[in-house]
Amino acid sequence: DLARMVGGASKKMITERLRQLEAQGLITRKVMDTAPVSVQYQITGLGRTALSFLDELRKWSESLPDSLTDA
């Protein structure tokens, strides 16, 4: 599902980034005992501390003129 939501990112790239975030303590990973096996990710308390900063960064990037973001 995440790969579909993040257009243009390969599953390998997403998996590598999720592993990095998990190693840094920003998310947790839980393997679900289902058929087929699925994985659930959840943000940690530490990860939540970055949300306001990341939201401000998103707003800033969306406010840039198209001429800067189309480069």
Side-chain angles (χ1 to χ4, degrees):
D1 291 339
L2 189 56
R4 283 191 298 273
M5 293 170 55
V6 183
S10 69
K11 288 183 181 183
K12 180 182 177 190
M13 176 194 262
I14 292 171
T15 299
E16 288 175 7
R17 182 64 59 191
L18 288 169
R19 286 181 180 155
Q20 290 172 349
L21 292 171
E22 182 183 15
Q24 294 167 345
L26 299 173
I27 63 171
T28 59
R29 178 179 183 263
K30 181 179 179 183
V31 178
M32 310 300 285
D33 189 20
T34 59
V37 174
S38 62
V39 179
Q40 182 182 50
Y41 292 94
Q42 188 171 14
I43 193 166
T44 63
L46 178 61
R48 288 187 199 290
T49 65
L51 292 179
S52 62
F53 168 80
L54 293 173
D55 191 46
E56 290 300 317
L57 183 59
R58 178 193 55 81
K59 290 175 188 175
W60 171 79
S61 68
E62 289 174 350
S63 72
L64 294 174
D66 288 342
S67 60
L68 292 177
T69 59
D70 291 339

